[in-house]
Amino acid sequence: MPGHSLLCVSRSPCNFNEDNAAARADCDRGIRGHPGTGGTATQDYTFMTSLQVNGRHGCGGSLINAQWVVTAAHCVAGQSASQFQLRIGSRSRSSGGTLVRVSQIVQHPNYRGDVSGGYDIALMRLSQSVSNTPVTIASTSPAVNSGSRLLGWGQTCPQRGCDQGPDGLKQLDTRILPDSSCQTIVALRSYAGLRHPRPLRVVAQRVRRR
């Protein structure tokens, strides 16, 4: 069985308050690497979390201990803790798993509401402890070219707003690129005038085969 290590947190350009339908669909893209191209998740992930408001999935998160979930700050910006219900540990974002409310949201103090400014991370305190096994937080960055798995319920087609994302969790096995490669991509995106020229970060797990 592979081991799980949380590397970092995904981001997208909007949140639950987004009024534009196409942009809201883009919000549902939990992973920018399109895990849908990799296929349906092949196992259960007890830590994987769907953040929901009024029954609507908006972002993914990861359970890091019995009472805390880590997610992106833009996913909770402008929202109160009482608005959220989390579904933890299910491959489906609409059924199964553990349902729990949120009692507190803690955003990074340097997050200013602009994802391109960095610090796009937040913690959500659960209203009660859960028995799900949390993900292990990686103590160091993985080596270049080491295996990594992307997980999410994100949009599976390339055009913004082309679908609402799958109900079933998707995964994509890939590898860690060197920072220099990421900087090249960022520079090209910036030159092309694309939104959010800074590196996109993802919720990933390091895959350790036995």
Side-chain angles (χ1 to χ4, degrees), residues 67 81-82 84 101-105 124-128:
Q67 207 166 0
S82 61
F84 285 94
R101 307 296 299 191
V102 176
S103 62
Q104 181 184 7
I105 294 174
M124 307 181 82
R125 186 186 183 103
L126 309 184
S127 60
Q128 61 190 62

Side-chain angles (χ1 to χ4, degrees), residues 48-110:
M48 195 65 197
T49 303
S50 169
L51 278 59
Q52 301 181 2
V53 172
N54 297 324
R56 178 186 173 85
H57 168 83
C59 284
S62 290
L63 183 74
I64 56 173
N65 69 27
Q67 207 166 0
W68 289 93
V69 164
V70 63
T71 188
H74 73 265
C75 292
V76 299
Q79 310 293 313
S80 65
S82 61
Q83 291 178 274
F84 285 94
Q85 177 174 265
L86 309 185
R87 187 180 300 276
I88 305 174
S90 177
R91 298 191 207 183
S92 170
R93 63 186 192 182
S94 62
S95 64
T98 302
L99 292 176
V100 63
R101 307 296 299 191
V102 176
S103 62
Q104 181 184 7
I105 294 174
V106 182
Q107 294 185 42
H108 193 288
N110 291 333

